[in-house]
Amino acid sequence: MDIGQSFILAVKSLMASKMRALLTMLGIIIGVSAVILISGMGEGLTAKVEETFTSMGSNIVTAMALRQTETKYVDLDKLAEFASETEGMKYYAPYTQTSATAKFGTEDASTTVYGTNEDYASIRDRGIASGRNIQYLDVEREQRVCVVGSHVIEELFGDDVTNDELIGEQLKINGTTFKIVGIMEEKASGMAGGDDDMILIPYTVAQKVFNIQYVNMFYFTYENGDYADTIIDKVDRFFYNIYDNADYYFIMDAQSMMEEMYDMLDTITSILVAIAAVSLLVGGVGIMNIMLVSVTERTKEIGIRKAIGANKFDVLSQFVIEAITTSVIGGTIGIMLGIFFTNIASVILGIEGKVTFGAVAIAVGVSSLIGILFGYMPAKKAADMHPIDALRHE
Amino acid sequence: MIDLKNVYKIYETGDVEVHALDGISLHIDKGEFVAIVGQSGSGKSTCMNIIGCLDVPTDGEYILDGIDVSTMDDDELSYIRNNELGFIFQQYNLIQKLSVINNVELPLIYKRYPKEARRKIAMEALERVGLKGMENRFPQQLSGGQQQRVSIARALAGEPSVILADEPTGALDSKTGIEVLALIKKLNEEGNTIILVTHDNEIAEQAKRVVRLQDGKIVEDRPGRGQ
């Protein structure tokens, strides 16, 4: 019997009892759509993490001094010297981070104020839309100047003014007057608490205004990946020399954090996919169950076919193809549902889910494999029937 | 054509041996129309199963069309059934979910004929049994007589050396039974070898030769009235 004929026959036989066919396929449908959905969302999450890390800037090493005392503290002059003398070090920026209220006239906005130097914008990959960045002299001479994020501008001045008009305006941060010297390019979608909800001021000013004795956070970037290990190592040594104890500071680099994060995501996705795959297995058992029933029900038909000349392989292939057809149709429905649910989940979770060709290929492969695997046993039973006994069966 | 030499079929049930066939020798030539007749339990069904290659003898030799089939395995027997034998059953044994034409095509599918050839041969067979125009109906939509004609067409489609009819009129009313029997006679006149298995002496007499079985043995072998 040729494959096409068997396939048509199998579809006909499925159509003859639609409800049963659907229930048989249900396990496969759920399993495949779950695998598609989970792997799709996993891909999406990985992409999102990558995007986040990239927007944070790559090649960044972050150091944090957890406790500083009069005898053991980070000397900013020494640190600047260390940064400029270290080979492969590109940018260095100390920074403080404070929640504050910015005021212009009667409008005010809660935001985050970063006290830092001229390299901060480059490190965080922030462009200046209007005016200028913070400069070395601003830091040295403790100029009360600020570079403002677009969200804060919107909060304080509304949409009606152009950025250029605002350069030179004064606003108050926690009561202290600052001159706006620059406005940052919009980066995120301008949401509160996002990258655009911030103000940069010289760190020397921040220390005074917010009464911060010690700057405790530091960014370093390296020229390229070749320097990563040596820079991390040297930064670590710099801080260790201050404290003689690794517990008082904390160093992390975006690259290795990203890799760890990927590993973790991969593991989580794999585990979830594996759990979903169990339902594929259950679906396979469901198919086997129904195929066994079907073989018993159709004993007479098998007898007729064998009497007329069907050999074992003919009968075997008929039932295996029927099982494969069932599971592949179920798999196809599962793929479509999986893509559908991935799109819905993407909207709900705000993560762009990606259904990869690989995931679909595996789903198709696995569902036809299940058809063969779980269809074989019942089909073998049918093929081995003795024609006389089978014909006598009513 | 058919040569049974000292054929035994012995079933063992517990300690008791049942000799369903007890040393049967039978020769049937090409073109014959033989009725195998006997009471229930006479061994005629066993005989028919062995002639039909649905079963193999416990002992003895069965030569069909020059081939020794008595020691063949399952798949070899399938091949012989497909190529040498056509069956007409009492209960028609059509596959209900297949259309008339698909039922008739079935032996040709297992012969691996291409689709066009299958269709052509099956249509000719349906025409020979007078069911032209019924090819797309389903068995349930036909009367008993018509269903039996479909099964005859199916037997013919395989172009067998021997047609085996097992109580072909058993499920039909007498009028339809006579029609079907007439059709079987006609097929014999066209040159087909026919073996008809029945318990009914009246029907057996329609054949050209009557072989009577009793207790697994041939007790009578004589010309029938159909001669």
Side-chain angles (χ1 to χ4, degrees):
Chain A
M1 176 131 49
D2 60 287
I3 303 288
Q5 175 89 13
S6 304
F7 178 74
I8 291 166
L9 217 63
V11 171
K12 273 187 187 165
S13 132
L14 290 177
M15 291 299 282
S17 44
K18 293 186 192 67
M19 193 63 189
R20 180 198 277 195
L22 188 72
L23 289 173
T24 310
M25 289 173 190
L26 202 57
I28 300 288
I29 293 174
I30 292 171
V32 166
S33 55
V35 167
I36 296 275
L37 173 67
I38 291 166
S39 66
M41 294 318 287
E43 287 284 331
L45 199 60
T46 308
K48 174 109 177 171
V49 167
E50 187 171 9
E51 192 190 303
T52 310
F53 273 98
T54 313
S55 79
M56 270 171 59
S58 52
N59 298 357
I60 294 183
V61 178
T62 309
M64 217 183 230
L66 299 177
R67 193 198 301 172
Q68 302 190 68
T69 62
E70 277 180 31
T71 50
K72 292 184 174 184
Y73 66 98
V74 181
D75 185 325
L76 293 180
D77 292 337
K78 274 189 190 164
L79 189 56
E81 199 181 324
F82 157 78
S84 68
E85 279 173 1
T86 304
E87 198 200 335
M89 184 84 84
K90 197 173 179 189
Y91 295 117
Y92 148 72
Y95 70 99
T96 66
Q97 189 179 341
T98 317
S99 294
T101 305
K103 240 183 172 169
F104 178 79
T106 55
E107 299 293 330
D108 56 37
S110 299
T111 186
T112 309
V113 176
Y114 290 85
T116 184
N117 69 4
E118 67 277 8
D119 282 344
Y120 185 89
S122 305
I123 290 169
R124 297 297 307 272
D125 196 23
R126 303 306 305 262
I128 302 298
S130 289
R132 63 167 178 86
N133 189 8
I134 289 173
Q135 292 176 347
Y136 175 71
L137 282 177
D138 296 331
V139 177
E140 279 296 298
R141 297 187 180 167
E142 300 177 18
Q143 298 293 314
R144 300 199 165 178
V145 295
C146 65
V147 176
V148 188
S150 58
H151 179 74
V152 181
I153 293 291
E154 205 173 297
E155 292 270 288
L156 293 182
F157 302 98
D159 292 329
D160 300 336
V161 288
T162 64
N163 284 345
D164 290 339
E165 287 169 356
L166 297 174
I167 304 299
E169 287 286 355
Q170 293 192 323
L171 54 75
K172 285 192 165 158
I173 298 172
N174 284 7
T176 307
T177 303
F178 282 77
K179 189 166 88 171
I180 300 174
V181 292
I183 292 165
M184 281 183 272
E185 278 172 6
E186 188 168 295
K187 186 159 185 179
S189 45
M191 287 186 309
D195 277 344
D196 295 313
D197 188 7
M198 58 157 70
I199 297 176
L200 306 184
I201 60 173
Y203 69 86
T204 46
V205 181
Q207 283 183 287
K208 289 251 162 60
V209 172
F210 301 123
N211 196 22
I212 297 167
Q213 195 173 2
Y214 302 108
V215 176
N216 66 339
M217 288 181 283
F218 312 91
Y219 279 138
F220 307 88
T221 63
Y222 38 87
E223 299 276 357
N224 58 56
D226 295 343
Y227 290 107
D229 290 341
T230 49
I231 295 286
I232 292 164
D233 202 40
K234 283 178 178 169
V235 170
D236 187 69
R237 216 175 310 153
F238 181 88
F239 281 90
Y240 193 82
N241 285 341
I242 297 171
Y243 290 110
D244 289 324
N245 186 339
D247 292 339
Y248 289 96
Y249 65 93
F250 174 70
I251 291 170
M252 61 182 183
D253 72 307
Q255 199 65 38
S256 62
M257 236 172 76
M258 194 156 80
E259 275 159 19
E260 266 171 41
M261 196 80 170
Y262 283 164
D263 281 354
M264 208 170 73
L265 280 176
D266 267 0
T267 311
I268 293 171
T269 307
S270 305
I271 290 169
L272 288 176
V273 167
I275 292 169
V278 171
S279 63
L280 272 178
L281 205 68
V282 175
V285 175
I287 285 183
M288 180 158 66
N289 187 16
I290 292 296
M291 288 302 296
L292 277 172
V293 172
S294 169
V295 164
T296 308
E297 278 178 356
R298 286 152 67 185
T299 301
K300 180 113 182 175
E301 177 191 329
I302 295 161
I304 296 168
R305 286 177 183 275
K306 289 200 91 170
I308 284 167
N311 59 29
K312 285 181 191 218
F313 180 78
D314 291 323
V315 177
L316 187 78
S317 60
Q318 183 191 337
F319 282 94
V320 168
I321 286 169
E322 204 167 305
I324 293 174
T325 306
T326 310
S327 64
V328 167
I329 290 176
T332 310
I333 296 172
I335 289 167
M336 291 190 293
L337 276 180
I339 292 171
F340 176 70
F341 286 134
T342 307
N343 287 332
I344 288 182
S346 298
V347 173
I348 294 172
L349 300 176
I351 294 168
E352 185 86 15
K354 282 184 194 134
V355 176
T356 58
F357 175 76
V360 172
I362 289 170
V364 171
V366 168
S367 55
S368 30
L369 198 71
I370 282 172
I372 297 171
L373 220 64
F374 292 93
Y376 183 81
M377 201 265 268
K380 184 85 172 75
K381 188 185 164 196
D384 286 344
M385 277 181 187
H386 203 279
I388 297 172
D389 302 332
L391 274 174
R392 230 178 264 141
H393 192 275
E394 286 302 328
Chain B
M1 167 101 318
I2 286 175
D3 227 342
L4 295 172
K5 291 176 187 165
N6 208 21
V7 165
Y8 287 84
K9 184 70 191 182
I10 300 162
Y11 296 104
E12 286 181 35
T13 43
D15 298 337
V16 191
E17 274 193 358
V18 180
H19 288 234
L21 291 181
D22 203 10
I24 281 186
S25 295
L26 180 64
H27 181 84
I28 296 172
D29 276 321
K30 189 172 166 49
E32 277 200 80
F33 182 4
V34 181
I36 296 175
V37 67
Q39 311 264 297
S40 156
S42 61
K44 65 179 194 304
S45 290
T46 312
C47 186
M48 136 116 194
N49 286 341
I50 286 180
I51 292 173
C53 293
L54 291 163
D55 207 349
V56 287
T58 316
D59 196 15
E61 212 174 46
Y62 172 25
I63 313 288
L64 172 61
D65 213 5
I67 313 156
D68 184 359
V69 297
S70 35
T71 55
M72 282 187 164
D73 71 19
D74 211 15
D75 276 352
E76 289 170 325
L77 288 175
S78 286
Y79 180 83
I80 295 293
R81 287 197 295 272
N82 191 212
N83 287 282
E84 302 286 340
L85 296 158
F87 290 94
I88 302 167
F89 298 100
Q90 180 176 6
Q91 295 298 335
Y92 331 131
N93 283 354
L94 301 174
I95 295 177
Q96 297 298 321
K97 67 180 180 212
L98 295 183
S99 65
V100 164
I101 186 87
N102 286 339
N103 265 291
V104 177
E105 279 180 339
L106 218 49
L108 304 170
I109 285 174
Y110 296 125
K111 279 180 196 278
R112 275 127 183 117
Y113 276 28
K115 193 174 179 168
E116 292 71 29
R118 289 203 310 253
R119 185 109 324 193
K120 188 165 165 288
I121 295 168
M123 287 301 286
E124 283 168 7
L126 279 172
E127 204 172 336
R128 279 173 77 185
V129 300
L131 286 178
K132 200 182 175 198
M134 303 274 195
E135 57 269 16
N136 291 322
R137 299 216 186 162
F138 284 83
Q140 283 150 327
Q141 297 168 305
L142 303 179
S143 70
Q146 286 171 322
Q147 290 193 51
Q148 192 59 294
R149 281 164 193 266
V150 175
S151 93
I152 293 171
R154 182 178 64 189
L156 287 174
E159 294 165 321
S161 326
V162 179
I163 293 175
L164 270 173
D166 182 12
E167 302 277 9
T169 60
L172 303 172
D173 61 63
S174 56
K175 183 170 166 285
T176 327
I178 289 166
E179 281 171 19
V180 165
L181 216 52
L183 178 59
I184 291 173
K185 275 187 188 169
K186 191 179 124 223
L187 295 176
N188 175 243
E189 277 152 26
E190 289 167 4
N192 293 290
T193 312
I194 291 175
I195 298 172
L196 186 145
V197 178
T198 182
H199 69 284
D200 187 331
N201 291 325
E202 275 305 301
I203 290 166
E205 289 302 333
Q206 309 279 323
K208 290 178 182 168
R209 178 178 165 194
V210 177
V211 174
R212 185 174 299 277
L213 284 184
Q214 199 178 312
D215 296 331
K217 290 190 170 73
I218 294 175
V219 293
E220 191 179 24
D221 189 350
R222 60 167 172 82
R225 268 181 286 157
Q227 188 64 27

